[in-house]
Amino acid sequence: MSKTVGIGITGSIAAYKIADLVSKLKKDGVDVIVIMTEAATRFISPLTFKTLTGREVLTDLWQESPEWKVQHIGIAEQLDALVIAPATANFIAKMAHGIADDLLSTIVLANTSPILVVPAMNNNMYKNFIVQDNIKKLIRYGYKFMDPTSGLLACGTSGQGRLPEVDDIHAQITKLLFPQKDLLGKRLMVNAGTTCEDIDPVRFIANRATGKMGYRIAEEAVSRGADVILVSGNSTIEPPSGVKFETAWSADEMCQVMLKYQPACDIIIGAAAVGDFQITGVAGQKLKKVANRSDKLVLEFVGTPDILQELGKRKAKNQIIVGFAAETENIIENAKLKLEKKNLDFIVANDVTMEGAGFATDTNIVTIITRNGEVQSLPKMSKEDVAAALLDKVVDLLKI
Ligand code: C5P
């Protein structure tokens, strides 16, 4: 059945890139309704989109339409998905506060189909607490967001604020319009972020992991129909909507939480950067400064539980367990050893020294190694795409 998508364009220079997106969607046979804010029409002419879609472009709340009786309601009812791209800080703020003062914002409120928001703006505007709060609020309401990419911006500065590649936006829209539900009925648990080990009541040691990889896996698994438990160490990312969210501070705590849920899970994925050491005898009071800079403060460490290994020991028949291996050398060999030791079905290995791989990046370069020795090297891809590739592999294993 043919699908209808609303493309809402707001006032950013990136608006011109949407012509390419609309053209790709039309080639897929998707019916595209373009709605532009007044500001968007200053960047690109509605005529461009009228020509590409073969439909009147909608810009005016008061425009009379022969097709829809009450225009904004009529349009909203037709949509299988609504995409706001590029989304300006102003338009995101309007959505977050339920303001409906033009055709597009009115359609957003009347819409009941999935919404994908693709921000593009100056990097400082994007980082602004108000904008970030608005985004977090909308994610809590179930809106999907794509992260802007980093690079040179139209305003001359460099940073995170660029519209993601049109191909990536196209792939996300395709997922919304034609959702794969190949994990329906499966319970999946994934851990994410860094664990933290206390030194004293105010200090702790952790690592650079942001949690992004694990959160993306959780989000992708929800969209494929799985019942998802996200066990998160320290992370500032807003949990995706639809997951059961559990937090854990230390490796010990995370291990307890995961062991509790393990028997009910079909699939377990260890994407957290679990700390390997914990301090013996955490100080009860805040440690005092050393008297002189050359004085030594000695801390003593012991190991933490290897969570995946513990889960691997208790692995039920038909339960799938997947791990990650961040390596700096002999990637495949080291990853294979971990796969065996932790009793995993497959391991996702990456060389964290490569640019575009590992912690705190939006992309990753991974190799999937299975128990039967199959080695699949993937090109540099977004963490969303890595999550999708990894879950494709899980689905393959479920069929065996
Ligand atoms: O042994 P290594 O830390 O390289 O293994 C990485 C994999 O093992 C990751 O999937 C990570 O989540 C998991 N891990 C764990 N508990 C630890 C250390 C790592 O579950 N203590």
Side-chain angles (χ1 to χ4, degrees):
M1 206 179 74
S2 116
K3 299 278 184 173
T4 304
V5 65
I7 302 285
I9 308 175
T10 72
S12 149
I13 177 63
Y16 80 90
K17 296 182 180 172
I18 304 307
D20 188 19
L21 176 67
V22 167
S23 152
K24 284 184 180 352
L25 289 166
K26 285 300 292 179
K27 279 188 193 131
D28 296 340
V30 173
D31 185 18
V32 184
I33 301 175
V34 173
I35 311 114
M36 299 175 77
T37 62
E38 202 273 324
T41 64
R42 295 183 180 237
F43 286 97
I44 181 164
S45 161
L47 183 61
T48 306
F49 294 106
K50 183 177 175 182
T51 314
L52 289 169
T53 61
R55 271 183 174 274
E56 211 55 57
V57 171
L58 309 169
T59 53
D60 181 5
L61 185 59
W62 308 110
Q63 188 174 323
E64 295 223 356
S65 158
E67 212 174 326
W68 300 291
K69 278 192 245 92
V70 181
Q71 195 183 206
H72 56 279
I73 309 288
I75 299 163
E77 279 173 353
Q78 292 215 339
L79 301 180
D80 295 299
L82 175 59
V83 181
I84 311 295
T88 58
N90 177 56
F91 199 79
I92 291 169
K94 288 211 293 193
M95 288 193 289
H97 292 85
I99 294 171
D101 63 354
D102 62 7
L103 182 60
L104 183 56
S105 52
T106 316
I107 290 171
V108 168
L109 280 190
N111 169 69
T112 53
S113 70
I115 299 194
L116 174 68
V117 185
V118 194
M121 64 192 75
N122 164 270
N123 55 327
N124 288 331
M125 287 174 85
Y126 183 66
K127 275 192 297 196
N128 186 295
F129 290 133
I130 303 170
V131 174
Q132 286 302 317
D133 277 351
N134 288 336
I135 291 175
K136 282 185 183 153
K137 183 172 172 188
L138 289 167
I139 291 174
R140 275 203 303 280
Y141 292 157
Y143 287 49
K144 293 195 183 316
F145 271 78
M146 287 183 76
D147 294 336
T149 55
S150 298
L152 188 65
L153 304 173
C155 51
T157 57
S158 197
Q160 190 183 13
R162 286 171 64 88
L163 192 82
E165 293 301 323
V166 166
D167 280 343
D168 292 337
I169 306 173
H170 177 244
Q172 289 298 322
I173 297 173
T174 307
K175 258 200 234 164
L176 279 187
L177 291 177
F178 308 99
Q180 268 177 297
K181 293 289 176 196
D182 47 9
L183 288 174
L184 203 65
K186 300 290 174 198
R187 178 165 294 149
L188 178 148
M189 171 163 64
V190 56
N191 65 4
T194 170
T195 53
C196 302
E197 303 300 336
D198 288 338
I199 297 173
D200 67 18
V202 294
R203 303 182 182 95
F204 60 89
I205 54 164
N207 59 60
R208 292 177 196 279
T210 57
K212 186 156 184 182
M213 192 64 249
Y215 278 58
R216 290 294 175 257
I217 293 169
E219 190 173 22
E220 174 72 15
V222 169
S223 81
R224 289 177 174 216
D227 185 1
V228 177
I229 306 167
L230 171 59
V231 183
S232 181
N234 207 17
S235 170
T236 55
I237 307 175
E238 187 67 22
S241 65
V243 302
K244 179 174 175 57
F245 188 63
E246 290 275 355
T247 54
W249 181 250
S250 64
D252 270 323
E253 250 179 67
M254 189 177 270
C255 195
Q256 289 314 313
V257 174
M258 296 192 77
L259 287 173
K260 183 177 88 182
Y261 287 114
Q262 177 174 22
C265 293
D266 302 291
I267 305 148
I268 299 173
I269 302 177
V274 184
D276 293 318
F277 321 105
Q278 68 185 52
I279 287 147
T280 55
V282 176
Q285 302 299 328
K286 186 180 169 195
L287 294 174
K288 295 279 175 260
K289 279 195 172 76
V290 288
N292 303 298
R293 278 196 65 188
S294 56
D295 292 350
K296 287 194 177 117
L297 167 73
V298 178
L299 297 172
E300 200 178 49
F301 293 90
V302 288
T304 50
D306 189 311
I307 302 175
L308 275 191
Q309 201 170 323
E310 293 304 320
L311 296 166
K313 280 184 207 159
R314 297 162 176 80
K315 186 172 184 280
K317 196 168 169 280
N318 297 334
Q319 192 169 56
I320 294 175
I321 308 189
V322 179
F324 274 76
E327 302 292 343
T328 54
E329 57 181 355
N330 302 331
I331 302 151
I332 309 291
E333 295 73 23
N334 286 334
K336 276 183 179 162
L337 291 173
K338 285 178 190 171
L339 179 115
E340 286 299 327
K341 192 170 149 210
K342 302 184 193 217
N343 195 18
L344 307 176
D345 292 274
F346 67 89
I347 193 154
V348 184
N350 61 351
D351 180 346
V352 283
T353 62
M354 280 172 88
E355 203 196 318
F359 297 141
T361 60
D362 292 331
T363 54
N364 213 345
I365 308 166
V366 303
T367 301
I368 295 179
I369 303 155
T370 62
R371 189 159 259 285
N372 56 18
E374 193 190 315
V375 177
Q376 183 189 2
S377 294
L378 299 175
K380 177 160 143 183
M381 42 170 71
S382 66
K383 287 188 172 170
E384 287 83 356
D385 288 346
V386 173
L390 182 161
L391 292 179
D392 284 345
K393 193 55 133 189
V394 168
V395 169
D396 284 349
L397 289 180
L398 286 169
K399 286 181 196 149
I400 296 173

